[in-house]
Amino acid sequence: MPEFVVGDDAFLLGGRPVRLLSGALHYFRVHEGLWRHRLGMLRAMGLNCVETYVPWNRHEPSPGRARDVGELGRFLDAAREAGLYAIVRPGPYICAEWDNGGLPAWLTGRLGARVRTRDEEFVRAAERWLALVAEQVVGRQVDRGGPVVLVQVENEYGSYGSDRVYLRRLVERLRALGVTVPLITSDGPEEHMLSGGTVPGALATVNFGSGAREAFAALRRHQERGPLMCTEFWCGWFTHWGGEEAARDAREAAGVLEEILGLGASVNIYMAHGGSNFGGWAGANRAGDDFRGALRPMVTSYDYDAPIDEFGRPTEKFRAFRRVLSRYAEGPLPAVPPTPPVLRAPVVAHPAGWAPLGEVMDALGGPEERGPVPPSFEDLGVDRGVVRYRFTVPGPRRAYPLWVAGLRDVAVASVDGVRVAVLDDARDPAPIGEVAGPAEVELWVESLGRVNYGPRLGEPKGVTGGLLHERQYVHEVAARGLRLDALEEPGAMEAVGWRPAGAAGGDPGLYRASCAVAGAGDAVLELPGWVRGFVWVNGFCLGRYWGRGPQRALYVPGPVLREGDNELLVLECEGAGEPVLRLSPAA
């Protein structure tokens, strides 16, 4: 098989120059039943390559317990069948607006700032992870008849650190595992990023959304030879809850793509198709240049204003990019695949069963821990989900202000069984109100997504400071966690004690509904008046909904639905709205 190598000014396959026209498409953000369609859309846009990250935390939910890493291999096989090369970006850190930047919470909770360094405990865990990835990648490299032409080392490391020993360890490990295709790094086109994030043995590339000529000039000052490549051409952007939906003008973005290609560079369009943050895996940012501001969690949609929208449909940006890319294609572009079928007719579902949050925790939660100070989500082994904290304010004592210090991220607080406040991290400490002792205090805390970029990466979730009455810590706390995964375990729903939904009165809890579908296909799910929580359709977690917007409906991939009866589960964390769920055709 021909080798894929780095030449002085171009990539070479069997000695022949090759320009990579790539598009980002993350297999974990697209239902597997739709991979073939989305890859066909990339080909029709004029691309010859697909790029994907690989999220460590999704595939190793607890130490040493791998979960379906073969999904990556199946995706690479689908890419080869679609006639596409592939770029694999396994991290260990990936950013990707993904929870914790892809790093496992069980590791960051223990190591803190030692992650992404030469720290031996972190490196050993990262090397084990890369070995799992290599099992799927090595035999699928282009020189073995597969699609993989590039593998990335770390990700935008120059935006975070400068531990070159750590980067060299990753290069050595990948080569020892059998990766023979070129290795790359990708960083912003600034001197400190390029000097901090590059490493001998890996081709340096740059990421940007505009200013291609200036970006490549910065790269050439750092690396005199080798192909020019933009590994992330940001053609859109991401969206936060409570913010505005991202948008970028199609003609302007196409003009930058034309500039990149006109300079002879290879490109990876980020994103070609964004997909969805299924499973509650969306990440978050911290506001402010110092990363000390309020948490800004990502919405469930990862549409990204990409040329192929969340539903797999071509947009005006797709057509503009196709016109540019057609001028660099080796022949006529394939026809645009038809859009997948959509749900034939709207369906309304009414919850029939309900279980209070406390009873769901008792049935499906992890073991309760007791101690003097509140444990974090990471201490309790909760990556995504909620934690219930119980404190006793001693007494007798008169009323004093009660505060939660270091709250991450949102909590529903009750005192002596009466809900008194919904708190977030806008103020720290967060005020509950005046409380006299003795009193029983309960906090239901939800993570809204871990920080995925910057120095706050890996910060813990939960009550990270403590409960303060006046200025005195309230010691002694009982804490128990409920992982989202627990609701997907076999027999989980049979373990829950269901009541008629009419008894709920709009309270938080787990709601169960069913609906009959004729003509299954892509759909959207609306939850009018519901406040904040997660939805499952036939056991598939669509992700988080939140009444604050701007996202108002969740995408339901057609393969998730089935003809006849379908089961819907809603974990409402704050308060249910209308007793109705609306399933509509994706339009």
Side-chain angles (χ1 to χ4, degrees):
M1 295 294 176
E3 285 188 312
F4 189 87
V5 299
V6 171
D8 284 345
D9 57 5
F11 294 112
L12 303 173
L13 179 62
R16 180 177 64 88
V18 173
R19 187 204 298 256
L20 295 178
L21 304 174
S22 180
L25 191 164
H26 302 154
Y27 64 91
F28 46 92
R29 284 178 159 135
V30 178
H31 190 281
E32 187 165 350
L34 296 170
W35 287 350
R36 178 176 295 182
H37 174 266
R38 303 303 195 258
L39 292 167
M41 291 293 293
L42 264 61
R43 290 276 293 131
M45 193 163 66
L47 302 176
N48 62 12
C49 184
V50 62
E51 171 269 310
T52 186
Y53 282 127
V54 192
W56 183 1
N57 51 8
R58 184 174 182 269
H59 289 299
E60 193 177 2
S62 58
R65 184 168 73 89
R67 180 173 60 187
D68 197 15
V69 188
E71 188 180 21
L72 169 62
R74 297 194 300 275
F75 179 74
L76 295 175
D77 290 342
R80 179 182 56 79
E81 292 169 7
L84 294 165
Y85 300 123
I87 301 169
V88 179
R89 303 170 77 190
Y93 162 82
I94 63 171
C95 186
E97 290 71 61
W98 189 257
D99 186 86
N100 222 24
L103 298 175
W106 53 260
L107 188 61
T108 59
R110 190 165 69 242
L111 299 185
R114 291 155 57 195
V115 301
R116 303 183 75 188
T117 72
R118 75 186 77 175
D119 175 84
E120 196 59 36
E121 186 176 353
F122 179 75
V123 170
R124 283 199 305 269
E127 288 181 339
R128 289 195 303 270
W129 161 242
L130 293 177
L132 292 174
V133 174
E135 290 177 3
Q136 305 300 319
V137 170
V138 168
R140 293 179 170 91
Q141 296 178 100
V142 70
D143 57 3
R144 303 192 186 188
V148 178
V149 291
L150 298 175
V151 173
Q152 184 171 294
V153 179
E154 244 277 355
N155 183 58
E156 295 186 322
Y157 188 70
S159 299
Y160 179 82
S162 56
D163 190 341
R164 306 294 287 278
V165 174
Y166 162 60
L167 294 180
R168 286 198 298 271
R169 288 281 298 272
L170 297 183
V171 169
E172 292 166 1
R173 181 59 170 163
L174 288 166
R175 289 305 188 202
L177 288 167
V179 176
T180 55
V181 296
L183 301 176
I184 63 169
T185 58
S186 66
D187 288 285
E190 299 184 34
E191 299 300 335
H192 70 284
M193 295 180 181
L194 286 166
S195 61
T198 55
V199 60
L203 177 74
T205 70
V206 283
N207 302 339
F208 55 83
S210 59
R213 188 173 298 276
E214 294 78 9
F216 287 135
L219 178 60
R220 275 289 178 251
R221 288 193 296 273
H222 183 86
Q223 178 178 263
E224 294 182 1
R225 295 182 178 180
L228 294 173
M229 182 166 183
C230 175
T231 298
E232 292 186 17
F233 163 47
W234 305 316
C235 66
W237 207 241
F238 45 81
T239 299
H240 296 113
W241 289 111
E244 296 183 0
E245 291 186 350
R248 183 176 185 182
D249 180 76
R251 291 181 60 186
E252 185 269 335
V256 178
L257 178 60
E258 180 72 75
E259 181 184 12
I260 293 170
L261 299 179
L263 293 169
S266 290
V267 67
N268 178 56
I269 297 168
Y270 193 98
M271 297 290 297
H273 170 60
S276 309
N277 290 310
F278 298 125
W281 283 108
N285 290 315
R286 285 283 177 186
D289 292 338
D290 59 359
F291 298 96
R292 295 181 181 273
L295 191 78
R296 302 177 69 195
M298 305 293 171
V299 299
T300 296
S301 170
Y302 199 62
D303 179 86
Y304 208 85
D305 192 33
I308 304 163
D309 74 8
E310 187 176 13
F311 305 104
R313 301 171 301 196
T315 66
E316 180 55 39
K317 192 173 290 180
F318 176 95
R319 290 181 281 272
F321 283 13
R322 180 177 158 96
R323 286 191 291 270
V324 171
L325 291 165
S326 66
R327 296 195 287 273
Y328 296 87
E330 294 184 352
L333 299 186
V336 179
T339 301
V342 300
L343 183 69
R344 185 181 302 165
V347 178
V348 174
H350 298 277
W354 168 73
L357 269 181
E359 295 183 11
V360 178
M361 179 68 78
D362 291 342
L364 303 177
E368 187 167 72
E369 293 193 9
R370 295 178 177 271
V373 297
S376 68
F377 275 49
E378 291 73 18
D379 293 331
L380 295 169
V382 177
D383 53 2
R384 296 153 298 129
V386 295
V387 169
R388 179 184 64 196
Y389 295 93
R390 289 172 167 169
F391 302 82
T392 299
V393 176
R397 60 175 64 184
R398 69 181 180 85
Y400 287 110
L402 187 65
W403 308 83
V404 182
L407 173 63
R408 301 193 182 113
D409 296 312
V410 61
V412 177
S414 63
V415 177
D416 292 331
V418 178
R419 184 169 122 177
V420 295
V422 178
L423 314 172
D424 59 30
D425 71 348
R427 292 179 62 183
D428 188 13
I432 293 177
E434 298 273 332
V435 175
E440 299 298 322
V441 179
E442 191 169 279
L443 298 173
W444 283 86
V445 180
E446 180 188 349
S447 166
L448 299 176
R450 288 178 178 79
V451 169
N452 54 256
Y453 178 84
R456 298 288 289 269
L457 179 73
E459 67 178 12
K461 294 295 185 180
V463 178
T464 66
L467 198 69
L468 294 167
H469 195 226
E470 207 265 342
R471 283 162 291 184
Q472 179 192 72
Y473 279 109
V474 178
H475 289 126
E476 301 303 325
V477 58
R480 193 173 186 184
L482 176 66
R483 293 171 56 107
L484 291 188
D485 287 353
L487 281 78
E488 300 165 12
E489 294 292 333
M493 293 306 100
E494 287 69 31
V496 173
W498 296 99
R499 308 178 186 185
D507 286 348
L510 185 63
Y511 290 78
R512 192 176 196 176
S514 63
C515 62
V517 167
D522 282 2
V524 294
L525 180 68
E526 298 175 278
L527 300 94
W530 298 65
V531 180
R532 191 186 70 255
F534 299 88
V535 182
W536 289 259
V537 176
N538 295 326
F540 182 89
C541 186
L542 301 181
R544 174 180 283 111
Y545 65 89
W546 197 353
R548 73 184 301 184
Q551 184 175 355
R552 298 297 178 187
L554 298 177
Y555 169 52
V556 184
V560 169
L561 293 171
R562 56 185 178 230
E563 296 294 315
D565 289 337
N566 293 260
E567 182 182 66
L568 285 73
L569 292 174
V570 182
L571 183 68
E572 170 58 54
C573 297
E574 191 169 329
E578 302 175 27
V580 64
L581 307 169
R582 298 194 183 113
L583 202 61
S584 305

